């Protein structure tokens, strides 16, 4: 509780002719309670003018931090204070040297105050060579060196080591006032990508703007710049959440178009009274749990997180033993080709089966290894096991589909990861295109130019590079303009949102269409239902992964499956190029039919009816079709295509006519009319997609362009619009609009 000097005490001090002030300190603010007549005279303060606002107002900017810290330490620890600093002269023409000394007093009501006496040592001249002025200049320079050591150059905030001292003082202040202190670890997310996009000069400006906001929120001596985009602060628990809410809101307004979310970890002193350094570590642990969130948020440290800290220590201490004793196993999750339902790739995943902790999922150990810079040991271990397993499969005569491995940002800091992988793959005699490299979007943003160079090195050596978790952050589209990936792996969050509303389907459709336009392959992970798989097939997502097909399996289990179904369950790599063409046709483009002149289609179907037919001699099968084509086929032929199996069947006029046969034989694009049983005329388009070099199967794309009901005239405008649509879309990456 604040206690005031009595009126009589203040009046007595104000009559003194010597420069004297009485101060007290609450947290890290120094407040003047009373100032003598001599003090007013020294600083040119009128008799009726308050001097209680800012004791540091006229102090030289270079001397202010040191004077503040000396005062705070003095108020917290007691003893004596003796300081020399520069203060602006009354007329503003320069500075004079002030010597300050004082001690703490306990006045009658128990309030502890500081009695400070000041003396004017004369004008300060940098070039003055008098012995006294030289002594003053040297003392001031010493203070400046001390400030340089204690304060961050970019932000002007205390550095971390000095902050720990200030935070301990603040903690004692808060406790003395019956409050509860809290330590905050603050991560300004996205600065590295911001620097890449706008330049380091603009990035430094943003850091300084955030520093000003942080200083206004907590006080300049209650926060610090740790390094890069990380800060720390000490505060009172009461009202903390409201203050953070205001900070988030104000920062969002400052950022404008640049989204830089603030993640805050908080350690409350009431959890356990621990030293400031330990409180800082625990606040950081809480902050680290917010990784992956792209909105400003905060998290309190808890006992559960403390348990995680113990697990982290165990993981780091036993990693080498786990690798040498094969406690870590490589599991494989198959990736399915959407068009044929066969395994076309396998993703290698690490599973730790510990004799003490039991089964550990990747989320329980990979983040710790990344933070400690040890993940490279695990990733190279996984690669070596993958290469060993590939050789075993070759010996058994199995198809060898590409295997993907995941890399972390810290892999590239620990070693030349590109060269390490090349050496191991070449030594194993495995073709380089059988090892795909998965790079997450967050890795790219951490150091854009460096990671871009590593990706290009991989690709130049023949390793395909995938962008993992595409769409999980805010930088995906910007990255695609600068880096050419071989494949985009859509984040599983798309699958979670797919059934919530139509927007999710539209967004994913357009993203796949964009990838097709760029000639980039696609995978969607997290597929769990038949409806999701069918939708992804329709929009042209070429590869699918998720529990709907298979959970990750151990190598032994994978081999049993491989041996049992090696010519059925796995794709023949020699057919992969053909199936990539077949998968590249987008069957879910709604833009084409959104025209008034195509009302006959729009009224009956929500999407242009399209399908892919495979032809073997006189036999055919519908390998892909969208819902509109299935509805069309059911209406006119009474057959439900979704019930047809994958086998080839003998065809008649309903399935194949001479136009499609000509398209297969000659590879020409053809428009044709076909009369339906009810007399309607269906105007269609067909083109050859590709030829399977192994089986001789020919893939043909068919699109229903319009339906002319009996006695309805054919509109030439419809045909011309279709010709315009298809004019430049064949061949290469095949698109049907």
């Amino acid at each position: 509780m604040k206690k005031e000097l009595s009126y009589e005490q203040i009046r007595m001090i104000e009559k003194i002719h010597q420069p004297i002030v009485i101060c007290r300190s609450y947290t890290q603010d120094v407040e003047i309670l009373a100032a003598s007549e001599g003090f007013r005279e020294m600083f040119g303060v009128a008799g009726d003018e308050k001097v209680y606002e800012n004791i540091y107002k006229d102090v030289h900017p270079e001397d202010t931090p040191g004077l503040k810290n000396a005062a705070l330490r003095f108020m917290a620890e007691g003893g004596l204070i003796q300081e020399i600093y520069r203060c602006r002269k009354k007329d503003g023409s320069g500075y004079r040297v002030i010597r300050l000394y004082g001690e703490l007093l306990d006045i009658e009501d128990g309030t502890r105050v500081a009695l400070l006496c000041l003396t004017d040592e004369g004008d300060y001249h940098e070039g003055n060579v008098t012995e006294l002025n030289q002594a003053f200049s040297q003392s001031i320079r010493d203070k400046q060196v001390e400030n340089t050591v204690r304060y961050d150059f970019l932000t002007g905030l205390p550095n971390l080591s000095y902050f720990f001292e200030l935070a301990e003082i603040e903690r004692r202040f808060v406790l003395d006032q019956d409050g509860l202190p809290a330590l905050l670890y603050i991560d300004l997310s996205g600065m590295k990508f911001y620097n890449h996009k706008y330049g380091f000069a603009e990035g430094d400006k943003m850091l300084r703007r955030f520093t000003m906001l942080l200083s206004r929120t907590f006080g300049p001596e209650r926060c610090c710049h740790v390094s890069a985009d990380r800060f720390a602060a000490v505060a009172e628990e009461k009202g903390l959440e409201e203050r953070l809410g205001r900070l988030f809101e104000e920062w969002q307004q400052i950022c404008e178009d640049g989204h830089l979310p603030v993640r805050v970890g908080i350690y409350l002193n009431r959890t356990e009274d621990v030293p400031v350094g330990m409180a800082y570590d625990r606040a950081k642990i809480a902050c680290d749990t917010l990784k992956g969130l792209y909105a400003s948020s905060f998290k309190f440290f808890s006992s559960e997180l403390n348990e995680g800290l113990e697990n982290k220590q165990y993981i780091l201490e036993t990693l080498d033993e786990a690798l040498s004793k094969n406690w870590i196993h490589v599991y494989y999750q198959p990736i399915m080709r959407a068009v044929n339902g066969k395994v076309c790739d396998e993703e290698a995943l690490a599973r730790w089966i510990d004799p003490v902790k039991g089964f550990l999922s990747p989320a329980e150990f990979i983040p710790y290894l990344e933070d400690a810079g040890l993940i490279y040991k695990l990733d190279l271990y996984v690669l070596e096991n993958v290469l060993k397993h590939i050789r075993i499969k070759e010996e058994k005569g199995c198809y060898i589909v590409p295997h993907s491995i995941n890399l972390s940002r810290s892999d590239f800091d620990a070693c030349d990861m590109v060269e390490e992988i090349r050496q191991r793959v070449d030594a194993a005699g495995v073709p380089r295109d059988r090892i795909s490299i998965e790079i997450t979007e967050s890795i790219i943003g951490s150091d854009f130019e460096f990671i871009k160079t590593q990706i290009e090195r991989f690709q130049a050596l023949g390793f395909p590079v995938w962008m993992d978790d595409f769409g999980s952050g805010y930088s995906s589209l910007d990255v695609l303009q600068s880096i050419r990936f071989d494949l985009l792996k859509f984040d599983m969050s798309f699958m979670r949102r797919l059934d919530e509303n139509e927007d999710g389907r539209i967004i994913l459709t357009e993203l796949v269409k964009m990838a097709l336009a760029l000639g980039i392959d696609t995978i969607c992970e997290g597929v769990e239902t038949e409806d999701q798989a069918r939708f992804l097939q329709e929009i042209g997502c070429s590869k699918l992964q998720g529990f709907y097909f298979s959970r990750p399996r151990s190598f032994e289990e994978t081999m049993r499956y491989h041996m049992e179904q090696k010519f059925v369950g796995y794709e023949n790599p020699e057919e992969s190029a053909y199936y990539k063409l077949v998968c590249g046709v987008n069957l879910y483009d709604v833009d084409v039919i959104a025209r008034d002149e195509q009302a006959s289609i729009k009224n009956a179907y929500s999407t242009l009816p399209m399908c892919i037919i495979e032809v073997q001699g006189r036999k055919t099968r519908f390998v892909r079709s969208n819902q509109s084509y299935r509805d069309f086929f059911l209406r006119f032929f009474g057959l439900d295509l979704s019930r047809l199996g994958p086998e080839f069947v003998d065809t008649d006029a309903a399935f194949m006519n001479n136009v499609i046969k000509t398209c297969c034989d000659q590879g020409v694009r053809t428009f044709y009319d076909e009369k339906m049983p009810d007399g309607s005329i269906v105007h269609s388009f067909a083109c050859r997609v590709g030829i399977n070099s192994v089986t001789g199967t020919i893939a043909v794309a068919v699109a229903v362009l319009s339906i002319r009901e009996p006695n309805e005239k054919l509109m030439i405008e419809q045909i011309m619009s279709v010709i315009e649509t298809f004019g430049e879309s064949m061949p290469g990456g095949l698109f049907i609009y």
Side-chain angles (χ1 to χ4, degrees):
M1 177 181 296
K2 288 186 178 182
K3 297 181 180 179
E4 305 291 342
L5 291 175
S6 68
Y7 175 77
E8 291 76 13
Q9 291 171 324
I10 294 175
R11 292 297 299 161
M12 180 183 67
I13 294 168
E14 288 178 343
K15 294 177 181 179
I16 298 174
H17 294 290
Q18 298 298 322
I20 294 174
V21 290
I22 303 294
C23 303
R24 67 178 172 190
S25 178
Y26 289 103
T27 65
Q28 293 187 14
D29 295 321
V30 174
E31 178 185 7
I32 296 179
L33 299 177
S36 70
E37 181 181 335
F39 181 87
R40 291 171 175 273
E41 173 64 24
M42 176 180 284
F43 293 99
V45 181
D48 60 347
E49 184 179 349
K50 292 184 178 181
V51 295
Y52 312 126
E53 301 299 329
N54 186 356
I55 192 173
Y56 305 111
K57 181 179 67 173
D58 294 321
V59 177
H60 193 289
E62 293 179 354
D63 300 340
T64 301
L67 183 61
K68 281 186 175 183
N69 293 323
L72 291 171
R73 186 179 298 278
F74 165 64
M75 297 297 288
E77 299 177 357
L80 299 176
I81 182 172
Q82 296 188 52
E83 290 291 319
I84 297 176
Y85 64 93
R86 291 166 290 181
C87 185
R88 189 177 300 279
K89 295 164 65 175
K90 296 179 187 179
D91 59 5
S93 61
Y95 287 90
R96 53 186 171 169
V97 178
I98 301 295
R99 185 190 295 273
L100 177 148
Y101 54 93
E103 61 179 317
L104 290 181
L105 301 173
D106 291 320
I107 56 179
E108 294 178 358
D109 61 1
T111 302
R112 201 176 198 197
V113 298
L115 171 63
L116 303 178
C117 301
L118 300 92
T119 58
D120 188 341
E121 302 291 350
D123 291 351
Y124 175 79
H125 299 290
E126 187 67 42
N128 196 317
V129 295
T130 67
E131 184 176 345
L132 180 61
N133 197 270
Q134 282 183 333
F136 287 148
S137 297
Q138 184 60 48
S139 177
I140 289 170
R141 283 194 293 271
D142 291 343
K143 290 291 183 183
Q144 291 172 345
V145 171
E146 181 179 334
N147 292 338
T148 301
V149 172
R150 289 179 168 180
Y151 289 87
D152 174 65
F153 176 78
L154 175 63
T155 64
L157 294 176
N159 58 30
L160 184 60
S161 61
Y162 188 50
F163 169 75
F164 282 174
E165 298 180 31
L166 297 177
E168 181 59 34
I169 295 172
E170 173 71 6
R171 190 179 73 88
R172 291 203 299 267
F173 272 129
V174 174
L175 291 173
D176 288 344
Q177 299 298 317
D178 298 325
L180 293 171
L183 201 292
L184 287 66
Y185 182 90
I186 303 162
D187 180 10
L188 186 58
S189 179
M191 277 305 304
K192 290 179 180 178
F193 188 79
Y194 187 93
N195 287 335
H196 165 73
K197 187 173 183 179
Y198 299 106
F200 284 98
E202 288 300 317
D204 288 346
K205 288 181 182 179
M206 289 301 288
L207 285 176
R208 285 191 285 267
R209 295 178 77 179
F210 183 71
T211 296
M212 294 177 62
L213 177 59
L214 207 60
S215 298
R216 288 201 309 268
T217 304
F218 299 108
E221 301 301 319
R222 299 187 187 94
C223 47
C224 82
H225 183 213
V226 178
S227 64
D229 52 6
R230 294 177 291 278
F231 297 79
V234 62
E236 187 173 358
E237 179 183 337
K238 184 178 180 180
L240 178 58
E241 293 189 26
E242 290 78 7
R243 294 162 76 183
L244 286 174
R246 290 194 299 271
L247 184 145
F248 294 162
E249 183 177 345
E250 291 181 39
W251 180 241
Q252 186 173 3
Q253 294 173 356
I254 290 173
C255 287
E256 297 175 349
D257 294 336
H259 187 77
L260 297 169
V262 181
R263 297 194 286 254
V264 182
I266 305 170
Y267 182 78
L268 301 177
N269 195 80
R270 61 186 170 94
T271 304
E272 183 183 359
D273 191 358
V274 299
V276 169
M278 187 176 294
Y280 169 87
D281 289 338
R282 294 182 176 183
K284 183 180 183 302
I285 291 170
C287 182
D288 289 344
T289 64
L290 300 174
K291 286 183 178 179
L293 296 181
Y294 292 89
S296 294
S297 53
F298 58 85
K299 176 82 171 181
F300 291 98
F301 180 84
S302 63
S303 57
E304 290 77 12
L305 291 179
N306 193 42
E307 182 180 346
L309 184 61
E310 295 175 356
N311 288 336
K312 175 181 179 180
Q313 191 65 27
Y314 178 84
I315 292 297
L316 298 182
E317 290 177 353
T318 59
L319 173 63
D320 290 338
E321 184 179 9
L323 295 176
S324 64
K325 295 183 178 180
N326 294 318
W327 294 348
I328 299 177
H329 300 251
V330 177
Y331 277 47
Y332 297 93
Q333 185 170 27
I335 297 171
M336 318 301 290
R337 179 79 68 180
V339 74
N340 61 17
K342 294 185 177 182
V343 178
C344 57
D345 297 86
E346 290 183 300
E347 180 180 5
L349 303 166
R351 299 293 186 265
W352 188 323
I353 304 176
D354 191 84
V356 176
K357 298 286 186 178
F359 184 90
L360 300 176
S361 70
E364 295 179 273
F365 60 89
I366 285 181
Y368 299 147
L369 298 179
E370 288 179 331
D371 290 343
L374 298 176
I375 192 69
Y376 76 98
K377 293 184 177 182
L378 174 66
D379 290 340
L380 291 176
Y381 171 88
V382 169
L383 173 64
E384 289 168 351
N385 276 269
V386 167
L387 296 173
K388 179 176 67 176
H389 295 160
I390 287 177
R391 290 195 296 269
I392 294 174
K393 291 177 182 178
E394 286 179 326
E395 293 171 359
K396 300 291 185 181
C398 301
Y399 287 142
I400 306 300
V401 299
H403 291 64
S404 67
I405 61 171
N406 295 273
L407 295 186
S408 170
R409 173 64 183 90
S410 63
D411 283 335
F412 298 96
D413 295 328
C415 61
D416 185 349
M417 185 55 67
V418 178
E419 182 61 16
E420 292 289 339
I421 290 176
R422 184 202 65 78
Q423 290 179 3
R424 285 166 170 79
V425 172
D426 289 353
V430 174
R432 294 175 184 174
D433 63 0
R434 289 296 178 265
I435 301 296
S436 302
I437 308 299
E438 295 198 38
I439 303 287
T440 63
E441 176 188 339
S442 59
I443 291 178
I444 299 164
S446 63
D447 191 341
F448 186 88
E449 291 301 330
F450 174 74
I451 296 299
K452 178 183 177 183
T453 300
Q454 306 314 304
I455 291 173
E456 291 171 348
R457 288 179 64 199
F458 272 126
Q459 292 173 325
L461 291 171
F463 295 99
V465 180
W466 300 358
M467 185 181 187
D468 193 13
D469 295 336
F470 179 80
S472 61
Y474 292 91
S475 60
S476 303
L477 298 180
D478 289 330
V479 169
L480 289 184
Q481 296 185 70
S482 303
I483 301 178
R484 184 72 174 189
F485 288 93
D486 298 284
L487 179 144
L488 300 182
K489 192 172 188 180
F490 294 105
D491 186 69
M492 64 177 60
S493 61
F494 285 105
M495 288 296 95
R496 290 195 293 267
R497 294 193 295 263
L498 199 62
D499 299 324
E500 293 178 1
N501 52 56
E502 189 63 23
D503 292 349
R505 293 183 175 244
I506 293 173
I507 291 171
L508 192 53
T509 298
E510 294 304 313
L511 288 175
V512 170
K513 187 163 68 175
M514 174 196 68
L516 290 171
L518 294 172
I520 302 175
D521 216 349
T522 54
I523 291 179
C524 200
E525 59 181 345
V527 181
E528 296 185 354
T529 67
E530 181 180 358
D531 179 65
Q532 291 173 346
R534 181 174 296 168
F535 169 74
L536 293 169
Q537 251 188 344
E538 291 177 2
I539 66 174
C541 185
S542 58
K543 300 178 181 181
L544 312 176
Q545 183 180 19
F547 283 8
Y548 174 69
F549 304 103
S550 174
R551 59 178 174 79
R553 298 185 292 238
S554 67
F555 175 67
E556 293 73 21
E557 188 177 357
T558 300
M559 276 304 297
R560 285 196 297 271
Y561 178 81
H562 216 317
M563 295 305 296
E564 292 169 0
Q565 305 187 47
K566 62 182 178 182
F567 298 118
V568 178
Y570 280 75
E571 179 179 283
N572 184 344
E574 295 182 9
E575 300 180 77
S576 297
Y578 164 78
Y579 285 122
K580 184 175 181 179
L581 283 175
V582 174
C583 285
V585 181
N586 192 335
L587 302 181
Y588 208 77
D589 189 346
V590 298
D591 293 336
V592 176
I593 51 84
R595 300 175 181 172
D596 291 340
E597 66 267 28
Q598 292 175 318
S600 62
I601 288 289
K602 187 167 62 175
N603 291 337
Y605 307 107
S606 60
T607 306
L608 198 68
M610 291 179 271
C611 73
I612 304 293
I613 300 174
E614 281 192 322
V615 181
Q616 279 187 351
R618 294 296 302 174
K619 295 184 176 182
T620 62
R621 68 169 178 169
F622 287 87
V623 66
R624 293 181 59 202
S625 62
N626 62 17
Q627 186 60 49
S628 294
Y629 194 88
R630 291 192 289 273
D631 292 342
F632 159 80
F633 213 81
L634 182 63
R635 170 187 170 186
F636 288 104
F637 301 106
L639 290 175
D640 185 354
L641 291 181
S642 63
R643 296 181 179 275
L644 293 181
E647 296 81 12
F648 284 87
V649 296
D650 291 329
T651 57
D652 53 25
F655 287 90
M656 179 165 169
N657 53 39
N658 291 329
V659 175
I660 294 181
K661 186 177 186 304
T662 301
C663 178
C664 291
D665 295 340
Q666 301 179 13
V668 295
R669 295 174 292 168
T670 308
F671 293 89
Y672 63 96
D673 293 347
E674 187 174 9
K675 189 173 183 178
M676 297 293 103
D678 67 350
S680 300
I681 302 298
V682 175
H683 313 294
S684 300
F685 170 83
C687 69
R688 190 172 72 188
V689 176
I691 302 175
N692 188 322
S693 60
V694 176
T695 64
T697 300
I698 300 172
V700 176
V702 177
V704 176
L705 305 177
S706 67
I707 300 174
R708 184 176 59 175
E709 302 295 339
N711 302 321
E712 182 183 341
K713 293 183 179 180
L714 176 65
M715 299 181 64
I716 189 65
E717 291 84 356
Q718 294 178 356
I719 299 299
M720 292 305 297
S721 67
V722 170
I723 293 174
E724 292 175 3
T725 301
F726 285 104
E728 300 298 330
S729 62
M730 316 291 183
L734 176 63
F735 299 89
I736 294 182
Y737 295 99

